[in-house]
Amino acid sequence: MKVLGIDLGSYEIKGIVFDLNKKKVINFSKEKTQGYKKGLIVKKSEFKTCLEKIIDEFERSFEKRFYKAVICFNSDNFSFKNQKDFIFLPKEIVRQEDIEKILNYEKRSNLPSLRELVEFVPLTFYLDQVEIEDPLGKEGTRLDLESLVVDCSRTIVNGLKEILEEYFESFKLKFSSLASALFYLNEKEKDVGTLFFDFGHETTSLILIAGGKFVDAKILPVGSYSLTKDLASNLKINIDQAEEIKRQFGSVGLKKNWRKEKIQIYENEYSLKEIVNILEERFEEILEELIKFLKETNFYRNLPGGILLAGGGSKLSNIAAFTKEKTKIYTRRLNVKDFFENLTQAEDMIEYANSIAIVNLEKSYVEDESFWHKIKSIFSF
């Protein structure tokens, strides 16, 4: 089954078509983002143009209409809350209707004013105060559910929904970094304690998972674009030139043979040492916030699963080794190809990591295609 997943990023909007049966990305595309920043649509027409290019390309390529999609985005406006709910079991046995009742969060929604639910993630069931993986059919008198609630500004969420409803009959919104953390961390890493470090364009997401479930999260309003702006300011060049220098020569941690090396670009000469120092200074500030977050949650130096680096910013040379050196915590970089044998594209698929994660996490949603939609797809109307 072919599924459409779209990652709304502040730098690029990225889309994939994923074949769930073959576990393979069969098409992918990206467009430079316009009219959109940190989840907020600032210029509707420009944003729609970017989105349309990706959707149109996929629909022409496969000669079919995508009626459903899974969409992820990130914003420093997200807030997180662990919540516990319970119900008493009138039949003293857990029935399907009991589970559906406790999962039906939206009818019991108690969000602050002008906030909108983005995700409701069930974490753990308890039957008569004892943790249980599958309570259905088990005897008991009370069923508890611990869950994660992710909410965001109503302006941001409704703005996205208004646009997406023009293109899809049904879609599901996901918090991109959380989806990737839940998908790419294995069960052992989730159990012992691991920090998912999503180094994005304008935000950096820290997702802490331990004991097999979400513990806490923090979104910093700074990302790899801050490093680009620092280069532009210090080297006195424009922002596009700074981005190209960062992508071609950017590194944190100076290699020995770079200490006196110069690069010639845009008819000017620049010191590699100076470039590295500029990038390091800003990235160290982000790592200081990371350490502060781990200390606040009592996981600093107590994180056996270490740090998993992801996001477009993680393509910066030497970033995993530098992070390990500065935090004293084992760090590695996400390699999406480790999860799928047939991801053979030459392009670095880490750019599409979020899109791949969301379509795989939402299999039950995307596979629930109505008979009418199947008929329409067959006859292309």
Side-chain angles (χ1 to χ4, degrees):
M1 181 175 182
K2 299 177 181 67
V3 185
L4 176 59
I6 298 177
D7 179 11
L8 303 176
S10 294
Y11 180 64
E12 290 174 329
I13 296 177
K14 306 177 191 73
I16 63 163
V17 177
F18 193 90
D19 191 318
L20 288 173
N21 299 323
K22 296 179 180 179
K23 297 183 179 179
K24 181 179 182 180
V25 177
I26 52 179
N27 205 340
F28 54 95
S29 180
K30 60 185 178 182
E31 290 288 334
K32 284 285 177 66
T33 304
Q34 300 289 334
Y36 173 85
K37 186 175 182 180
K38 296 183 183 180
L40 183 64
I41 297 170
V42 290
K43 290 186 178 180
K44 187 182 292 187
S45 60
E46 293 183 2
F47 175 71
K48 287 178 66 175
T49 299
C50 296
L51 192 60
E52 283 173 1
K53 285 181 180 178
I54 291 176
I55 297 171
D56 289 347
E57 180 180 333
F58 290 149
E59 293 189 338
R60 284 197 306 270
S61 176
F62 294 100
E63 297 182 341
K64 65 167 286 183
R65 168 91 187 274
F66 287 93
Y67 295 96
K68 268 188 175 183
V70 189
I71 316 287
C72 66
F73 72 107
N74 212 336
S75 172
D76 55 9
N77 189 263
F78 282 134
S79 64
F80 313 90
K81 179 176 69 173
N82 275 318
Q83 174 173 298
K84 279 194 174 181
D85 297 284
F86 72 90
I87 59 171
F88 290 108
L89 303 169
K91 301 292 185 181
E92 296 190 352
I93 189 170
V94 182
R95 302 166 298 167
Q96 184 63 38
E97 51 261 48
D98 297 319
I99 294 176
E100 290 174 0
K101 181 179 179 181
I102 201 167
L103 287 173
N104 194 2
Y105 169 77
E106 290 187 71
K107 288 187 179 178
R108 309 186 315 280
S109 179
N110 190 28
L111 294 175
S113 176
L114 302 180
R115 304 291 292 179
E116 194 76 15
L117 180 70
V118 176
E119 289 208 64
F120 172 67
V121 185
L123 300 175
T124 311
F125 283 106
Y126 299 87
L127 186 58
D128 292 338
Q129 309 298 312
V130 178
E131 184 175 330
I132 187 169
E133 186 172 338
D134 183 7
L136 185 62
K138 305 297 190 302
E139 294 183 351
T141 59
R142 170 172 158 163
L143 181 65
D144 291 63
L145 174 64
E146 183 180 352
S147 54
L148 167 66
V149 176
V150 182
D151 64 84
C152 190
S153 158
R154 185 168 295 166
T155 300
I156 289 176
V157 176
N158 287 349
L160 287 173
K161 287 181 177 179
E162 182 183 338
I163 298 292
L164 294 170
E165 284 169 355
E166 295 183 31
Y167 300 100
F168 305 107
E169 290 186 9
S170 175
F171 58 87
K172 198 156 194 178
L173 284 176
K174 305 283 291 179
F175 167 29
S176 54
S177 301
L178 177 62
S180 285
L182 294 174
F183 182 71
Y184 293 112
L185 294 179
N186 62 41
E187 294 309 310
K188 184 178 289 185
E189 290 168 333
K190 291 176 183 176
D191 183 52
V192 300
T194 304
L195 182 72
F196 189 80
F197 178 2
D198 190 357
F199 190 26
H201 183 63
E202 289 195 329
T203 58
T204 297
S205 300
L206 308 175
I207 312 291
L208 179 60
I209 296 180
K213 57 191 176 184
F214 172 91
V215 175
D216 204 351
K218 185 171 187 177
I219 302 180
L220 308 175
V222 59
S224 63
Y225 190 48
S226 298
L227 278 65
T228 304
K229 290 187 286 187
D230 288 350
L231 278 178
S233 177
N234 283 274
L235 300 181
K236 297 177 175 57
I237 54 179
N238 69 44
I239 199 74
D240 292 330
Q241 292 172 338
E243 183 67 26
E244 187 173 342
I245 287 175
K246 185 185 76 175
R247 287 174 177 265
Q248 284 193 43
F249 307 102
S251 177
V252 283
L254 192 65
K255 297 178 182 178
K256 289 182 180 179
N257 61 332
W258 281 9
R259 294 190 182 280
K260 295 182 180 180
E261 191 170 338
K262 307 281 186 180
I263 60 167
Q264 191 81 28
I265 189 169
Y266 303 119
E267 301 179 353
N268 290 308
E269 190 176 72
Y270 302 100
S271 160
L272 278 176
K273 182 178 180 180
E274 182 183 8
I275 291 170
V276 170
N277 287 342
I278 293 167
L279 297 176
E280 280 185 359
E281 184 175 354
R282 176 67 68 167
F283 189 62
E284 282 193 66
E285 291 179 4
I286 294 172
L287 294 182
E288 286 171 7
E289 289 296 320
L290 182 154
I291 292 171
K292 181 182 176 183
F293 171 70
L294 290 177
K295 286 181 176 179
E296 289 171 348
T297 52
N298 297 317
F299 276 87
Y300 184 57
R301 305 288 178 88
N302 184 29
L303 202 66
I307 298 170
L308 180 59
L309 263 167
S314 70
K315 295 167 73 172
L316 196 64
S317 177
N318 202 47
I319 191 170
F322 187 81
T323 301
K324 179 181 177 181
E325 177 191 343
K326 295 299 178 181
T327 63
K328 310 302 181 188
I329 299 171
Y330 166 66
T331 304
R332 72 275 188 205
R333 183 175 172 269
L334 174 65
N335 185 353
V336 181
K337 293 181 181 181
D338 289 342
F339 294 81
F340 301 94
E341 293 179 1
N342 43 11
L343 284 183
T344 56
Q345 291 90 343
E347 186 156 342
D348 187 349
M349 295 305 292
I350 196 166
E351 294 187 84
Y352 299 90
N354 292 334
S355 303
I356 294 170
I358 58 175
V359 297
N360 279 275
L361 283 177
E362 293 296 335
K363 285 182 182 180
S364 60
Y365 168 73
V366 295
E367 288 176 340
D368 183 23
E369 185 176 25
S370 73
F371 175 76
W372 178 238
H373 284 163
K374 290 177 183 177
I375 293 296
K376 288 201 286 186
S377 293
I378 292 170
F379 292 100
S380 300
F381 67 91

